[in-house]
Amino acid sequence: MQVQQHPISTAHASITCQLSSFHFGAAAANSRSGKKVYIQAALHADEVPGMLVSQCLRRELLALEAAGKIHGEVILVPAANPIGLAQAIHGAPFGRFDLTTGINFNRAYRHVADELKTTLDGKLGQDAQANVALIRQHARDAVAAWRPSTDAETLKKTLLGMAIDADIVLDLHCDNEAALHIYTGTPLAAQIAPLSALLGARAVLLELAAGEEPFDEACSRLWWDLDAHFQGRYPIPAACLSTTVELRGEVEVSYALAERDATALLRFLAIEGVLEIAGAGDDLPAPQCQPTPLAGVEPILAPHHGVLVYLREMGEVLAAGDALADLIDPVSGETTTLRCSVAGVFFARSAHRHVLRGMNVGKVAGAIAFRGGSLLSQ
C-alpha cells in the first residue's frame, strides 16, 4: 500500500488541510493490466457511515494485497472532504456545503465531455479499446488543465483527477434517514445489478443527467455523452461504472453494518475481476428492487409547519394515495395526513420531527418518470 498526501489549500487559502489517499495493487493507468477502482467516502464530510466502511475495506485490501490477490489498482479515500470536516456551525458538523461559496461539495464537477468533443475530433477509430484509452488520456489532460479558483474547487479537481480514468467508481454517501439506495447512470443498470443485490438496496435510481454535475456523473456521463455526440460512428462503450451508494441514514454507524457493507463491496469487486476472493460470485442474494428512473422519485413536501409522525417504515412498497405521515400543528392541533401520489418504494425521509412549510419529508421511488430539471435538488 502507498499513501499519498494531496495539499488542498492554495497560497492564500483560508483553510490549511490535505487529503489522504491509499493505493493498493499495481497502477492500472500505466499498464491497464487490470482494472482501476476508485472508492471515496464522506464527500459530504459529516456523512459518517462510509468512513467506517472504509476502515473495514482498508484492512481487507491490505490482506489481499499481501497475498497478491489484487489485479489492478484500488484507490481508497476514506475521508474525501477535509474542508468540510473542519466546518461547524454552533458546534454542529456542517459538511454538505462549502461555507465560503455556499456550493454543495457534490456539485459543480468539471464535465470534460464538452472539451473532449473538440479534442477527440478526427482521432477516434473502430477499435473500442483504443478509443477507451485515448478518451481516458484526454479526460486526464482536461482535469489537469482545470484551474481552480477556490479551495473547494482544488479539492474537487484532486478527487476527480484520481477517478476520471477509473473503470469502477464507488462514491459512498448516506441520507438523512433512509433505506440503502443507489444512484447510477441509465446505461449502467445491468452492470450495477450485482452490487445492488449484494448491498440489499431498496431503490436503484437511474438517470442520464441528474443536473448540477455531481461527482459520480462527472466520471461516467462523459462516455455516453461522447457516444451520442459522435452518433455511433466509433465504438465508445460506457467504460466507467460509477455509482453513488447511500449507506442508509446518518446515525446508522455500527461495526455490524460496516462489515456487511464492506463485504458486499469487496465481493462486487471480485465479481468484476479486481480482487481474488474465493466464492465471491456464488449464491448472490435476490435483488430487493428493480431499477427505476430518478425522474420517477416523488418528493413529499410539508404543506405547513408541524410535528411529523411517520406512519410507514422506510423500504415499504406503497400504493398511490397511501399515507406516509401525519403533520400536526402544535398550537391548533390540526392534523394533515401526507400521502404519496405515485406507487413505489418509500426509501428516504427526514430525521427532523418538527418541520417547516416546504420541507422535503420523504421520497418515494416510482417506476414512471414524471419530473425534469435538476433532479437531485428536488
Side-chain angles (χ1 to χ4, degrees):
M1 179 188 75
Q2 294 183 342
V3 182
Q4 295 184 12
Q5 305 293 344
H6 310 268
I8 300 304
S9 305
T10 62
H12 304 288
S14 57
I15 298 173
T16 301
C17 61
Q18 63 182 12
L19 179 79
S20 298
S21 60
F22 299 82
H23 300 246
F24 304 87
N30 294 331
S31 65
R32 303 314 295 187
S33 60
K35 291 182 178 179
K36 177 179 177 180
V37 178
Y38 176 83
I39 307 170
Q40 70 179 21
L43 183 55
H44 292 138
D46 50 354
E47 294 181 359
V48 176
M51 292 189 199
L52 187 58
V53 170
S54 293
Q55 306 315 305
C56 302
L57 290 174
R58 177 164 50 183
R59 181 190 66 226
E60 296 302 322
L61 288 169
L62 279 168
L64 288 165
E65 183 179 54
K69 294 183 177 181
I70 298 180
H71 307 298
E73 179 185 20
V74 180
I75 300 175
L76 176 64
V77 182
N81 187 354
I83 297 174
L85 284 173
Q87 294 183 160
I89 298 177
H90 296 302
F94 188 81
R96 188 173 186 83
F97 299 92
D98 176 22
L99 288 178
T100 302
T101 64
I103 297 174
N104 190 315
F105 283 111
N106 194 23
R107 303 291 186 272
Y109 284 82
R110 195 179 187 99
H111 183 51
V112 300
D114 293 336
E115 299 164 58
L116 269 55
K117 291 171 186 176
T118 299
T119 63
L120 289 167
D121 192 31
K123 297 178 181 177
L124 297 170
Q126 296 307 311
D127 183 329
Q129 290 308 307
N131 288 342
V132 168
L134 184 63
I135 290 168
R136 283 178 172 152
Q137 182 58 60
H138 280 241
R140 287 193 294 268
D141 292 345
V143 175
W146 185 1
R147 294 293 174 259
S149 58
T150 67
D151 290 351
E153 283 190 352
T154 300
L155 173 65
K156 292 173 183 179
K157 175 182 176 177
T158 303
L159 297 173
L160 191 58
M162 288 188 282
I164 194 65
D165 61 348
D167 297 88
I168 299 170
V169 173
L170 304 174
D171 191 9
L172 307 182
H173 287 250
C174 70
D175 212 315
N176 204 199
E177 285 188 350
L180 196 148
H181 57 286
I182 290 172
Y183 297 90
T184 197
T186 304
L188 305 174
Q191 289 176 269
I192 209 70
L195 180 61
S196 170
L198 287 165
L199 286 169
R202 296 296 292 124
V204 176
L205 305 170
L206 306 177
E207 79 292 319
L208 288 173
E212 299 186 61
E213 308 299 347
F215 180 83
D216 69 327
E217 262 189 33
C219 298
S220 60
R221 182 160 66 93
L222 71 98
W223 295 97
W224 50 86
D225 276 7
L226 289 173
D227 187 43
H229 173 76
F230 289 109
Q231 300 178 323
R233 297 196 303 273
Y234 314 107
I236 301 176
C240 178
L241 176 57
S242 182
T243 182
T244 293
V245 179
E246 300 280 353
L247 296 170
R248 307 173 195 86
E250 293 175 347
V251 300
E252 294 189 74
V253 180
S254 71
Y255 288 124
L257 286 175
E259 293 283 359
R260 181 193 310 172
D261 294 338
T263 298
L265 295 173
L266 293 169
R267 285 185 67 185
F268 175 68
L269 294 182
I271 291 170
E272 287 289 321
V274 180
L275 307 178
E276 189 179 331
I277 301 175
D282 299 341
D283 301 320
L284 289 182
Q288 295 193 27
C289 67
Q290 292 300 313
T292 55
L294 180 57
V297 172
E298 180 183 17
I300 309 298
L301 305 181
H304 56 79
H305 85 103
V307 176
L308 189 62
V309 181
Y310 285 106
L311 306 175
R312 306 296 291 265
E313 294 300 321
M314 292 176 297
E316 287 192 61
V317 178
L318 306 182
D322 278 354
L324 287 117
D326 282 340
L327 187 59
I328 306 164
D329 185 310
V331 177
S332 71
E334 179 182 356
T335 298
T336 302
T337 298
L338 308 182
R339 302 177 183 275
C340 60
S341 64
V342 304
V345 177
F346 178 33
F347 70 92
R349 69 187 190 186
S350 173
H352 301 288
R353 293 303 183 265
H354 179 273
V355 296
L356 303 179
R357 180 185 179 191
M359 284 186 174
N360 189 332
V361 300
K363 300 174 186 175
V364 177
I368 300 173
F370 69 95
R371 296 189 299 145
S374 182
L375 299 173
L376 293 173
S377 297
Q378 298 182 37

